[in-house]
């Protein structure tokens, strides 16, 4: 056990130009619901039995009112960068124009970050789709991709030099699969015939946005954030190996291969026609627009066995696990980065999310989250191992700056390196936050 975060003395991750940051997302922290349009997560939270604690994002961390203090907090941790997302329903009106009040809110945040020399990594879409667009079909409607391009175009024209890096989308897998196939995330649509259609429109939206970012904002790093849950076979049997490979194509490669190879994995042709996306001529070239960086989010791996009815069956992971039940298996992080680097011609990689939910207790104003410190220790070193094996990783963001609205888990799962008391909105830096700060400042 260690209360300190350490890396090998020669590690590239100890150099001053390796970027360390913390990450959040608009719906998870802001609140301030009255001054924006409704989004799909408002509607989803109002639907019975969707959120574990029946909560919603109305107040969240009240960051909408507390952003100045929160930036002081970010600065006090000593990070080089802050990854935030823009709430699309806060900055764009129903008729597709800029909402100046919403824009001013983010301008103030970006100006304050700039004055503190904290690099802003801005995600344009972290799941809060305006409800009026969902009413017209959401990501199942190809038009939504063009609405996203309009939003990206307007916003990238006004933010200018304030932004260091843009990500078009956060985790299109989650939007498509969880939102439109299994329905555990907003908008809660269920059906195998929907997931890949939504995914294609999301990827198209990404490509269209990359075109306008390259034009309006050539000096920022422009890219995307993808999540990966590496797929391992339960045994060495050929059947299990095939099952895990299918799952990997379905959940992971589906979202990266089009970006770099301009095509979907081969399993596309094996899917029933009704489950296939509607690909128009020219779409794949738009999707494969060159990128300045790739954002990688990693939390855990998954284990699969062959199944008689379906292509694969996910089995319960072994211990150790975090408070949310995900296995702690840092080796998969190294193997993931190395394998992506072998498969694709990657631009520089930023780890845009990594972290753990733990059952934190605040005692006498102190949160001694040794388990989270251990998680960070293992995963930072897993990234370092990948760098030593030739992967170019330029930065690392802890998920999350502070405890927040964890989607379908509500406020029950805490991912922060800062503890939030939701009654009083008091923030307390956890031991993990202090260890992260020491790592960054002692470089
Ligand atoms: O808060 C979210 C974090 C927490 O864990 C964040 O908004 C998302 O961008 C991101 O999806 N986040 C996240 N993902 C973990 C996914 C692990 C899936 C494990 C599946 C079980 C085997």
């Amino acid at each position: 056990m260690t209360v300190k975060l350490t890396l090998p003395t020669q590690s590239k991750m100890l150099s001053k130009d390796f970027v360390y940051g913390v990450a959040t997302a608009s719906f998870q922290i802001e609140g301030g619901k009255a001054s924006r349009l409704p989004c799909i997560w408002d509607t989803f939270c109002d639907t019975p039995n969707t959120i574990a604690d029946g909560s919603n994002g109305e107040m969240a961390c009240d960051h909408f009112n507390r952003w100045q203090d929160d930036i002081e907090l970010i600065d006090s941790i000593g990070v080089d960068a802050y990854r935030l997302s823009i709430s699309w329903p806060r900055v764009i009106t129903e008729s597709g124009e800029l909402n100046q009040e919403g824009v001013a809110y983010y301008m103030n945040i970006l100006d304050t970050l700039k004055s503190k020399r904290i690099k802003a990594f801005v995600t344009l879409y972290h799941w809060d789709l305006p409800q009026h667009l969902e009413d017209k079909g959401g990501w199942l409607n190809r038009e939504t991709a063009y609405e996203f391009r309009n939003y990206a175009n307007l916003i990238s024209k006004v933010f200018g030099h304030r932004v260091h890096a843009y990500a078009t989308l956060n985790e299109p897998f989650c939007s498509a699969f969880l939102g439109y196939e299994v329905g555990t995330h907003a908008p809660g649509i269920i059906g195998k015939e929907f997931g890949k259609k939504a995914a294609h429109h999301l990827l198209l939206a990404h490509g269209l946005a990359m075109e306008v970012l390259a034009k309006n904002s050539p000096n920022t790093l422009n890219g995307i954030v993808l999540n990966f849950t590496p797929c391992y076979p339960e045994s060495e049997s050929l059947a299990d190996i095939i099952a895990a490979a299918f799952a990997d194509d379905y959940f992971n490669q589906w979202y990266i291969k089009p970006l770099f190879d301009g095509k979907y994995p081969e399993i596309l042709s094996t899917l029933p026609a009704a489950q296939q996306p509607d690909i128009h001529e020219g779409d794949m070239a738009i999707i494969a627009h060159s990128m300045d960086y790739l954002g990688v989010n990693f939390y855990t791996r998954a284990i699969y066995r062959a199944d008689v009815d379906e292509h694969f069956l996910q089995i319960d992971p072994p211990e150790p696990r975090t408070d949310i039940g995900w296995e702690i298996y840092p080796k998969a992080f190294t193997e993931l980065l190395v394998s992506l680097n072998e498969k694709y011609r990657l631009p520089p990689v930023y780890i845009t999310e990594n972290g753990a939910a733990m059952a934190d207790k605040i005692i006498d104003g102190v949160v001694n989250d040794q388990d989270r410190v251990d998680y960070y220790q293992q995963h930072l070193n897993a990234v370092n191992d990948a760098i030593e094996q030739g992967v170019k990783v330029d930065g690392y963001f802890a998920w999350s700056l502070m405890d927040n609205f964890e989607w379908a888990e509500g406020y029950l799962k805490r991912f922060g390196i800062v503890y939030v008391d939701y009654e009083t909105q008091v923030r307390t830096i956890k031991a993990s936050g202090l260890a992260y700060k020491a790592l960054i400042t002692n470089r």
Side-chain angles (χ1 to χ4, degrees), residues 199-413:
H200 184 67
H201 295 146
L202 280 148
L203 290 169
L204 178 65
H206 156 77
L208 293 167
M210 283 302 299
E211 291 176 355
V212 300
L213 289 174
K215 191 159 136 270
N216 297 348
S217 191
N219 297 325
T220 50
L221 298 176
N222 302 324
I224 193 171
V225 170
L226 300 179
N227 63 297
F228 295 90
T229 306
C231 302
Y232 287 73
E234 185 187 24
S235 77
E236 288 309 305
S237 79
L238 186 59
D240 284 354
I241 290 171
I242 291 171
F246 190 94
D248 185 50
D249 279 348
Y250 200 86
F251 297 125
N252 298 317
Q253 307 305 324
W254 197 270
Y255 299 87
I256 183 169
K257 193 174 172 66
L259 303 178
F260 293 106
D261 294 351
K263 53 185 178 216
Y264 286 109
E266 303 273 303
I267 60 163
L268 169 66
S269 59
T270 71
L271 298 179
Q275 292 179 24
Q276 299 199 7
D278 301 319
I279 306 171
H280 293 198
E281 208 187 319
D283 283 2
M284 300 315 288
I286 295 171
I287 290 171
H289 194 286
S290 74
M291 295 191 288
D292 302 317
Y293 78 99
L294 174 70
V296 170
N297 293 355
F298 173 87
Y299 290 86
T300 189
R301 68 161 173 174
I303 304 174
Y304 294 91
R305 81 166 55 128
D307 185 56
V308 272
D309 302 323
E310 298 286 334
H311 286 283
F312 50 77
L313 183 74
Q314 191 182 340
I315 63 156
D316 281 341
E319 304 278 350
R321 301 182 205 166
T322 66
D323 188 40
I324 210 163
W326 302 337
E327 184 190 4
I328 301 173
Y329 192 74
K331 197 165 159 245
F333 202 179
T334 310
E335 291 177 351
L336 165 72
L337 293 168
V338 170
S339 79
L340 292 178
N341 197 41
E342 278 168 3
K343 282 197 182 90
Y344 305 107
R345 286 196 48 180
L346 296 183
V349 169
Y350 283 80
I351 307 307
T352 34
E353 284 182 32
N354 177 232
M358 296 295 181
D360 297 323
K361 292 272 167 298
I362 183 157
I363 299 163
D364 299 331
V366 174
V367 181
N368 206 345
D369 56 339
Q370 183 64 56
D371 42 10
R372 188 177 286 102
V373 176
D374 292 343
Y375 182 96
Y376 278 116
Q377 170 66 16
Q378 292 170 25
H379 287 77
L380 284 162
N381 280 277
V383 174
N384 186 62
D385 290 346
I387 293 174
E388 277 176 8
Q389 291 176 55
V391 188
K392 184 165 166 35
V393 182
D394 284 356
Y396 176 98
F397 290 77
W399 183 271
S400 177
L401 163 66
M402 58 185 159
D403 299 334
N404 57 49
F405 176 76
E406 184 44 43
W407 308 113
E409 304 288 340
Y411 297 96
L412 301 176
K413 300 298 173 199

Side-chain angles (χ1 to χ4, degrees), residues 127-144:
W127 309 354
D128 35 8
L129 184 73
Q131 181 61 42
H132 68 94
L133 294 179
E134 181 57 37
D135 295 342
K136 292 185 217 146
W139 290 111
L140 294 175
N141 181 354
R142 189 177 166 91
E143 258 319 295
T144 300

Side-chain angles (χ1 to χ4, degrees), residues 91-263:
V91 295
I92 302 289
T93 65
E94 232 181 291
S95 53
E97 280 133 41
L98 283 177
N99 173 336
Q100 294 301 343
E101 235 177 276
V103 171
Y105 168 68
Y106 291 109
M107 285 288 200
N108 286 333
I109 289 180
L110 295 173
D111 282 335
T112 310
L113 291 171
K114 183 129 198 177
S115 73
K116 295 183 180 301
R117 294 202 184 79
I118 299 169
K119 297 181 167 81
F121 277 63
V122 169
T123 306
L124 294 174
Y125 184 67
H126 203 127
W127 309 354
D128 35 8
L129 184 73
Q131 181 61 42
H132 68 94
L133 294 179
E134 181 57 37
D135 295 342
K136 292 185 217 146
W139 290 111
L140 294 175
N141 181 354
R142 189 177 166 91
E143 258 319 295
T144 300
Y146 295 90
E147 294 287 345
F148 183 71
R149 175 175 68 180
N150 173 57
Y151 155 46
N153 178 41
L154 295 176
I155 214 77
S156 59
K157 275 186 185 152
V158 292
F159 283 172
H161 62 88
R162 296 169 184 84
V163 175
H164 183 79
Y166 280 108
T168 54
L169 307 177
N170 177 70
E171 304 188 342
F173 156 81
C174 290
S175 300
F177 181 75
L178 303 179
Y180 291 87
E181 190 164 327
V182 291
T184 51
H185 278 191
I189 290 170
I190 301 172
K192 281 205 159 173
E193 65 276 36
F194 303 126
K196 298 300 190 208
K197 289 190 175 60
H200 184 67
H201 295 146
L202 280 148
L203 290 169
L204 178 65
H206 156 77
L208 293 167
M210 283 302 299
E211 291 176 355
V212 300
L213 289 174
K215 191 159 136 270
N216 297 348
S217 191
N219 297 325
T220 50
L221 298 176
N222 302 324
I224 193 171
V225 170
L226 300 179
N227 63 297
F228 295 90
T229 306
C231 302
Y232 287 73
E234 185 187 24
S235 77
E236 288 309 305
S237 79
L238 186 59
D240 284 354
I241 290 171
I242 291 171
F246 190 94
D248 185 50
D249 279 348
Y250 200 86
F251 297 125
N252 298 317
Q253 307 305 324
W254 197 270
Y255 299 87
I256 183 169
K257 193 174 172 66
L259 303 178
F260 293 106
D261 294 351
K263 53 185 178 216

